[in-house]
């Protein structure tokens, strides 16, 4: 008996958080990569830490395009956690 179907059925859902600071040029690739996983995450939360490039705009577009993507855009950079 192949155990792969049993392992896949037993997996619980998961979420992914993607931190972003001035990464407008790669954040779409990161989201596409995460959404391509099998199984895909239930939610992808992208947190923009007050970027000075177009990251906030790209993140908002991603959230509007994909039901699983949520955008959190901070008004200013607050640095490492």
């Amino acid at each position: 008996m192949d155990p792969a179907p049993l392992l896949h059925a037993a997996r619980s859902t998961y979420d992914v958080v993607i931190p972003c600071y001035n990464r407008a040029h790669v954040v779409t690739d990161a989201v596409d990569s995460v959404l391509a996983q099998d199984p895909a995450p239930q939610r992808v939360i992208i947190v923009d830490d007050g970027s000075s490039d177009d990251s906030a705009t790209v993140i908002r577009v991603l959230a509007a395009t994909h039901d699983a993507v949520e955008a959190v855009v901070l008004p200013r950079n607050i640095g490492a956690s």
Side-chain angles (χ1 to χ4, degrees), residues 3-79:
L6 296 175
L7 292 174
H8 183 70
R11 292 182 191 162
S12 60
T13 61
Y14 66 99
D15 296 337
V16 172
V17 177
I18 300 175
C20 180
Y21 180 70
N22 289 340
R23 293 290 176 254
H25 62 288
V26 295
V27 70
T28 299
D29 291 341
V31 169
D32 289 345
S33 177
V34 168
L35 291 175
Q37 300 301 308
D38 182 28
Q42 184 173 345
R43 293 185 308 164
V44 178
I45 304 161
I46 312 168
V47 181
D48 178 62
D49 191 18
S51 294
S52 58
D53 67 356
D54 290 330
S55 293
T57 301
V58 172
I59 290 167
R60 286 184 178 110
V61 168
L62 287 165
T65 304
H66 301 283
D67 291 337
V69 176
E70 296 179 26
V72 177
V73 178
L74 302 177
R76 63 180 179 83
N77 179 262
I78 54 176

